[in-house]
Amino acid sequence: MDSSQNTTPPTVAEMITHKAENLTASERKLAQALLGNYPMAGLETVATFAERCGVSAPTVLRFASKLGFESYPEMQARLREELEARLQSPLTRSALPRNRAATGHPMGVLLHHMAEATISNIRSSLANIAPTELEGAIDLLADRRRSVYVLGGRFSSALAVYGYEHLRSMRADVHRVAGQSSKWTEDLLDIGKRDVLLVFDVRRYQKDVINFAETASEQGAKIILFTDQWLSPIARFARHVFPVRIETGTTWDSAAASTVLLETLLEGVGRRDPDHVRDRIEHLERLRRRPLN
């Protein structure tokens, strides 16, 4: 018997990853939404799925067809099978001894829970990022002919600062959009079609951040969005969207997966022209050693 008959069929997520290079911009939005809230987003009706992603219903049908399904209901049937298999399988356990988590100090229980939750978020988020999406975002940020603007919201501004500081050390013309939102129009004044906006927006999406990104897009800027599995409205007009898992079952959402993905993106930018990055950082270190007074 042909051994291929015994192999497990690929998941829809794996099919998306394999077909990523052939997807249109509208189809990529559907892929990002599905991977960001997998598999539940794909169990919505055609109309609901299309509206949430800002695309047409026929685009949803073409998306399912491009993945290799005869119809959208067939894709949903595969997703339901995956969901059933997931519920029937034992959950992945942490490498920590269970007796330490179950019977130890309450803080040991907390540490165990957070370790499992954040590690799961990181693995799930990075596994579902299409390599072509990552490559496209790296290409934009590494292009020194483009100016880069970085913006975050109330909590995600910490990620924006982190990304800004690293990018600023690797290349010139990196700007952080900061301060009161009433001052952001001064940054919009200079943003054009050769520029890139790296923006962070997670649930309880901020209207001022959304408006800034939308205006920048209307002026021709390429938008790179870090968001959660429910997708900020910015995803509708972003060039590249990175939805990550943020829930941990605690009071607060987690930025762990976002941070690891951002560090992956930054590493990719650094690898585009390592000689330039090394020379720039060495120059920066020499300047730091010289007193300014």
Side-chain angles (χ1 to χ4, degrees):
M1 179 182 295
D2 186 350
S3 61
S4 64
Q5 296 179 0
N6 295 323
T7 60
T8 302
T11 65
V12 176
E14 290 171 333
M15 296 167 78
I16 289 173
T17 300
H18 295 156
K19 299 285 188 178
E21 293 184 359
N22 299 322
L23 298 179
T24 66
S26 294
E27 291 165 351
R28 284 200 299 270
K29 290 183 180 181
L30 294 168
Q32 290 155 357
L34 177 52
L35 293 176
N37 187 19
Y38 191 84
M40 303 310 297
L43 300 179
E44 299 174 334
T45 66
V46 170
T48 300
F49 193 22
E51 182 179 4
R52 188 158 69 87
C53 297
V55 303
S56 66
T59 299
V60 176
L61 302 180
R62 286 195 297 270
F63 172 69
S65 176
K66 190 168 288 187
L67 293 183
F69 295 102
E70 293 293 330
S71 65
Y72 184 67
E74 183 183 343
M75 186 183 80
Q76 289 185 310
R78 176 72 65 82
L79 289 171
R80 290 191 186 95
E81 290 174 1
E82 292 180 29
L83 181 59
E84 182 178 358
R86 179 185 297 182
L87 293 175
Q88 291 175 348
S89 300
L91 295 175
T92 302
R93 303 301 182 185
S94 168
L96 293 174
R98 287 195 55 77
N99 60 348
R100 286 178 59 187
T103 62
H105 192 283
M107 292 300 99
V109 176
L110 177 60
L111 288 168
H112 178 84
H113 171 82
M114 292 303 294
E116 283 198 323
T118 54
I119 290 171
S120 176
N121 280 351
I122 291 169
R123 285 176 174 163
S124 175
S125 297
L126 269 65
N128 288 329
I129 296 299
T132 51
E133 283 295 307
L134 182 64
E135 183 179 39
I138 289 171
D139 287 344
L140 287 174
L141 292 173
D143 186 350
R144 298 199 303 274
R145 296 169 299 178
R146 301 178 182 272
S147 293
V148 175
Y149 293 81
V150 187
L151 172 64
R154 181 185 175 196
F155 288 104
S156 57
S157 61
L159 287 168
V161 172
Y162 188 71
Y164 164 78
E165 294 294 346
H166 281 76
L167 285 171
R168 185 72 181 86
S169 67
M170 289 190 283
R171 49 155 298 168
D173 294 325
V174 180
H175 313 275
R176 182 185 166 213
V177 182
Q180 296 294 322
S181 57
S182 59
K183 297 282 290 180
W184 295 357
T185 51
E186 297 175 11
D187 291 293
L188 282 172
L189 185 64
D190 297 323
I191 292 180
K193 63 181 180 180
R194 294 293 305 169
D195 301 326
V196 181
L197 173 64
L198 174 61
V199 60
F200 301 82
D201 191 38
V202 295
R203 65 179 175 183
R204 302 198 72 178
Y205 313 113
Q206 286 188 218
K207 187 65 174 176
D208 51 359
V209 173
I210 297 168
N211 289 342
F212 184 97
E214 185 169 15
T215 304
S217 176
E218 291 170 352
Q219 294 178 187
K222 310 301 184 293
I223 312 299
I224 299 172
L225 170 66
F226 273 62
T227 185
D228 50 45
Q229 60 261 45
W230 303 284
L231 295 184
S232 160
I234 296 172
R236 292 173 180 258
F237 45 84
R239 172 68 64 90
H240 299 289
V241 182
F242 298 104
V244 299
R245 297 276 175 173
I246 63 173
E247 286 190 303
T248 61
T250 63
T251 304
W252 309 106
D253 289 333
S254 171
S258 300
T259 301
V260 173
L261 181 57
L262 176 58
E263 290 175 340
T264 304
L265 183 70
L266 293 168
E267 174 64 17
V269 173
R271 292 185 180 190
R272 277 291 186 269
D273 192 347
D275 292 337
H276 171 80
V277 172
R278 183 183 62 253
D279 292 344
R280 184 174 173 84
I281 293 176
E282 288 177 351
H283 186 194
L284 178 61
E285 291 301 317
R286 288 194 299 271
L287 292 174
R288 284 173 173 166
R289 289 193 293 268
R290 295 184 61 178
L292 297 179
N293 54 16

